[in-house]
Amino acid sequence: MCLCVAFALPARAAEGTEVFADPSKIAAIGGSITEIVFALGEQDRLVARDSTSRYPEAALKLPDVGYMRQLSPEGVLSVNPSGILALHGSGPKETVDVLKKTSIPFIEVPERYDHEGILEKIRIVGKALGADAKAAALAAEIDVKLLKAAEKQTASIKDRKRVLFVLSMRGGKILASGSNTAADGIIRLSGGVNAVDGYSGYKQLSDEAVITARPDVILMMNNAGPGVSDDELFANPSIRSTPAGAARKVVRMDGGYLLGFGPRTADVIRDLAASLYGGQAAD
């Protein structure tokens, strides 16, 4: 695939950039990155966002350069950014390679699906924008919220719910989350157990594998492709044969909220733990 940029590309940017020399016009790629910039009070620096950046509502007023995994160099460069702040996993690789060859500083923010990973994101974004003090204060605030939500809310619960995160059900086939995914991370932080293991990423499960997983709860995203109704979900023979199917237990949340791993994740943990355990989850 040829990625032809309708601009004369300037000289290559310096490698290993951690701080933008000019943070006045930043393109934010990744919903959690945009959320963090707003949470730091640095939103006036933003000139664009990607299509996964839907929160807060004010972010929707920014130009949209496309889906973070299907970016084009033309789209990102068209907003004339002084810097690009992108979540790890942005792509495709060809586009990222082109962007890194321009003179526009490109800072990639690591993505880890755990408590410390969220704090690391905040610190890196803050440093990139020259807002280290604000980032330190926000990270400290989020750290306390995460400790309270993740460690105290479900600490006394002995019988942990087995949760199956279903990404899609195309053709009746269950595409489910294994380890090293945002879904796996949020299930664990909320006091649940991922019902499937033994593989990383997302995988299509056989009917036998779904039944063997014995999920107590099905977890799904809202606003993520063609919807699957409760009736469709529980009509699936393999799902119907699980404890979750017998109880018709499904939890649905907005995808950006559920899997963002940003400033709102402590709230996600509280909400998901309450959905899993009801009154057993400490407030």
Side-chain angles (χ1 to χ4, degrees):
M1 177 175 62
C2 176
L3 293 172
C4 302
V5 184
F7 307 94
L9 296 180
R12 186 180 181 87
E15 293 288 348
T17 302
E18 294 183 341
V19 184
F20 291 122
D22 176 8
S24 63
K25 297 186 297 180
I26 302 302
I29 310 298
S32 62
I33 302 303
T34 302
E35 281 194 39
I36 290 168
V37 174
F38 272 84
L40 291 172
E42 298 291 325
Q43 61 269 21
D44 289 347
R45 300 182 183 277
L46 296 178
V47 294
R49 48 107 189 172
D50 77 305
S51 63
T52 71
S53 298
R54 303 192 307 270
Y55 182 88
E57 189 174 346
L60 299 176
K61 297 177 183 178
L62 293 165
D64 182 348
V65 298
Y67 176 49
M68 65 171 285
R69 302 191 195 282
Q70 297 175 353
L71 299 171
S72 70
E74 296 93 337
V76 178
L77 295 175
S78 69
V79 298
N80 192 29
S82 62
I84 301 167
L85 193 57
L87 187 63
H88 177 76
S90 299
K93 182 180 182 299
E94 295 89 344
T95 292
V96 172
D97 288 345
V98 169
L99 293 173
K100 287 181 175 180
K101 288 176 182 176
T102 74
S103 63
I104 300 167
F106 186 104
I107 296 179
E108 185 175 67
V109 182
E111 177 80 298
R112 284 173 44 202
Y113 307 120
D114 58 21
H115 181 140
E116 183 54 39
I118 296 169
L119 306 184
E120 181 184 31
K121 269 195 210 177
I122 293 169
R123 296 184 191 111
I124 290 172
V125 171
K127 183 172 185 178
L129 300 176
D132 300 76
K134 286 184 177 180
L138 179 61
E141 177 188 343
I142 298 299
D143 188 29
V144 171
K145 287 182 177 179
L146 286 168
L147 281 169
K148 181 179 179 182
E151 295 182 9
K152 293 182 180 179
Q153 193 171 9
T154 60
S156 63
I157 294 173
K158 300 291 190 293
D159 185 18
R160 301 282 169 160
K161 298 292 185 182
R162 296 175 61 81
V163 182
L164 179 67
F165 179 82
V166 176
L167 182 63
S168 71
M169 286 185 62
R170 291 177 185 165
K173 299 295 184 181
I174 307 294
L175 185 63
S177 170
S179 61
N180 298 317
T181 62
D184 179 72
I186 201 65
I187 289 169
R188 293 176 186 278
L189 284 174
S190 303
V193 175
N194 192 342
V196 293
D197 54 22
Y199 67 89
S200 178
Y202 291 87
K203 181 180 177 181
Q204 193 173 92
L205 300 183
S206 66
D207 290 349
E208 182 182 5
V210 173
I211 295 168
T212 302
R214 297 178 293 102
D216 301 298
V217 179
I218 306 297
L219 179 61
M220 301 185 75
M221 294 188 294
N222 290 326
N223 311 318
V228 178
S229 70
D230 285 6
D231 287 343
E232 290 176 282
L233 175 65
F234 295 118
N236 180 283
S238 58
I239 294 288
R240 194 167 60 237
S241 300
T242 67
R248 291 180 67 88
K249 180 65 174 178
V250 59
V251 175
R252 302 174 189 268
M253 289 188 183
D254 176 79
Y257 178 61
L258 178 66
L259 305 181
F261 279 81
R264 295 184 292 163
T265 296
D267 296 329
V268 178
I269 294 168
R270 181 198 64 217
D271 292 346
L272 183 53
S275 294
L276 294 179
Y277 301 110
Q280 288 182 276
D283 194 353

